[in-house]
Amino acid sequence: MYVCLCHGVTDRDIREAAENGASSVRQLGKELGVGTQCGRCASMARSILKEARSSD
Ligand code: FES
Protein backbone atom coordinates (compact mmCIF):
# COMPACT_ATOMS: atom_id res chain seq x y z
CA MET A 1 0.00 0.00 0.00
CA TYR A 2 1.30 3.45 -0.84
CA VAL A 3 1.68 5.69 2.15
CA CYS A 4 3.42 8.60 0.50
CA LEU A 5 2.19 9.28 -3.01
CA CYS A 6 4.50 12.22 -3.58
CA HIS A 7 7.54 9.98 -3.24
CA GLY A 8 6.03 6.58 -4.04
CA VAL A 9 6.80 5.14 -0.60
CA THR A 10 4.96 2.05 0.60
CA ASP A 11 4.24 0.74 4.09
CA ARG A 12 6.79 -1.97 3.34
CA ASP A 13 9.46 0.66 2.66
CA ILE A 14 8.69 2.25 6.00
CA ARG A 15 8.85 -1.06 7.86
CA GLU A 16 12.18 -1.77 6.20
CA ALA A 17 13.54 1.61 7.19
CA ALA A 18 12.34 0.96 10.75
CA GLU A 19 14.22 -2.34 10.79
CA ASN A 20 17.28 -0.49 9.65
CA GLY A 21 17.03 1.89 12.55
CA ALA A 22 14.76 4.76 11.50
CA SER A 23 13.02 5.94 14.64
CA SER A 24 11.19 9.08 13.61
CA VAL A 25 9.19 10.48 10.73
CA ARG A 26 11.92 13.07 10.31
CA GLN A 27 14.40 10.29 9.71
CA LEU A 28 12.05 8.62 7.25
CA GLY A 29 11.88 11.95 5.48
CA LYS A 30 15.63 12.05 5.13
CA GLU A 31 15.87 8.49 3.90
CA LEU A 32 12.74 8.11 1.79
CA GLY A 33 11.32 11.59 1.36
CA VAL A 34 8.19 10.72 3.36
CA GLY A 35 6.37 13.82 4.52
CA THR A 36 8.72 16.25 2.86
CA GLN A 37 6.40 17.42 0.11
CA CYS A 38 2.68 17.79 0.87
CA GLY A 39 2.94 16.31 4.36
CA ARG A 40 -0.34 14.40 4.08
CA CYS A 41 1.35 11.08 4.69
CA ALA A 42 3.05 12.09 7.94
CA SER A 43 0.47 10.78 10.41
CA MET A 44 0.06 7.50 8.54
CA ALA A 45 3.83 7.14 8.36
CA ARG A 46 4.06 7.79 12.08
CA SER A 47 1.58 5.05 12.97
CA ILE A 48 3.22 2.49 10.67
CA LEU A 49 6.59 3.34 12.13
CA LYS A 50 5.24 2.99 15.66
CA GLU A 51 3.63 -0.34 14.85
CA ALA A 52 6.78 -1.62 13.15
CA ARG A 53 8.96 -0.66 16.08
CA SER A 54 6.68 -2.23 18.66
CA SER A 55 6.41 -5.55 16.85
CA ASP A 56 10.04 -6.58 17.32
FE1 FES B 1 4.00 12.10 1.36
FE2 FES B 1 2.93 14.04 -0.06
S1 FES B 1 2.16 12.05 0.27
S2 FES B 1 4.76 14.12 1.11
Side-chain angles (χ1 to χ4, degrees):
M1 163 188 86
Y2 279 108
V3 174
C4 178
L5 288 177
C6 294
H7 296 280
V9 179
T10 63
D11 58 332
R12 184 181 293 226
D13 294 329
I14 292 176
R15 283 176 223 279
E16 235 172 68
E19 270 173 37
N20 294 325
S23 58
S24 66
V25 173
R26 183 183 296 249
Q27 244 174 318
L28 290 178
K30 270 197 195 154
E31 283 176 36
L32 305 169
V34 175
T36 59
Q37 207 160 324
C38 73
R40 256 180 256 157
C41 55
S43 67
M44 176 67 99
R46 188 171 302 118
S47 50
I48 292 171
L49 185 62
K50 203 175 147 195
E51 193 194 298
R53 290 179 59 81
S54 64
S55 69
D56 53 35

